[in-house]
Amino acid sequence: AVNLKGRDFLTIAECSEEEIQLLLDTAADLKKKQKAGIVHHDLAGQTLAMIFEKSSTRTRVAFEVGMYQLGGSALYLSSRDMQLGRGETIADTAQVLSRFVDGIMIRTFGHDKVEELAANATVPVINGLTDAHHPTQVIADLLTIQEHKGNLRGLKACFIGDGYNNMAHSLLEGAAATGMDLIVSSPNGYEPDGEILEAAVKRAARNGCTVGFTSSPEEAVEGCDIVITDTWMSMGEEGEAEKRLAAFKDYQVNEQLVKLAKPDYLFMHCLPAHRGEEVASEIIDGSHSIVFDEAENRLHAHKAILKCLLEKD
Ligand code: CP
Ligand code: NVA
């Protein structure tokens, strides 16, 4: 049977269709158990090290609470306080942590850092967000869409905003793998990474769906079941605020734009959100918004990732 035991979880693209399905099924099952008050200590006695080089609310809390609910524990390690922040190498850090813990989660800048950590660790490494990918979020997003719409295949989704962004990239990979159509719409100069887009286009074609890009937000939103956006200024890009606010001004998800979506469209955002920038308050605080269901599902999705990677036979 398909399993992810002992594996790393760095991008959605590295998972097969069956592995993504396993994660979604496991998440749904763990969610049901938690809601029913059923003890599920599948990772009793195990420990997860969590390295944060960037801020986090949801990712940190979901992994920490998740490990606790699975009978294990998690350590929050800020790179500011670690020797990593004073120049100890990623490779040495990976080897040392591997002697102490059962898994390592890292949130960092360059995706190459996660790859280097994974290459040198002897325990599973989980990508808790890099500049290029946010795969744990997208497992939660797919679970959320499935819960609300009953399926993924055949749905039409769009991502409006910064296409050269971890969310846009992981959503392209997630849609392509699950049979959901997805169009990314961004201004000039903020298109998705060419290689990621191209690989997703090919995988989508094999899976009977379409992913793609258009610079027109109206074209992207037309007839959509799911409308997604994310910040115009990701962590590390704060210095470009003025330039980005100008570049993205026609890409706000607002009442006028969502008129083009299906009448029962759903709005999603990984959060944190910036009302009045990438999304109008009426939309994120309105009746089509499922952003807090989406946030909650980080817990269930992360627990599924942890269980599938770390559970012993
Ligand atoms: N969506 C998300 O990853 O949130 P945090 O930055 O709060 O972890
Ligand atoms: N694209 C955002 C996501 C935050 C969860 C960022 O990288 O800051």
Side-chain angles (χ1 to χ4, degrees), residues 24 37 44 58 152 178 228 232 265 269 292:
L24 293 174
R58 282 145 287 267
L152 296 164
T178 55
I228 312 172
W232 292 340
Y265 86 93
H269 190 312
F292 298 112

Side-chain angles (χ1 to χ4, degrees), residues 10 126 134 158 165 199 303:
L10 308 190
I126 299 168
H134 198 2
C158 64
N165 151 308
K303 284 166 70 177

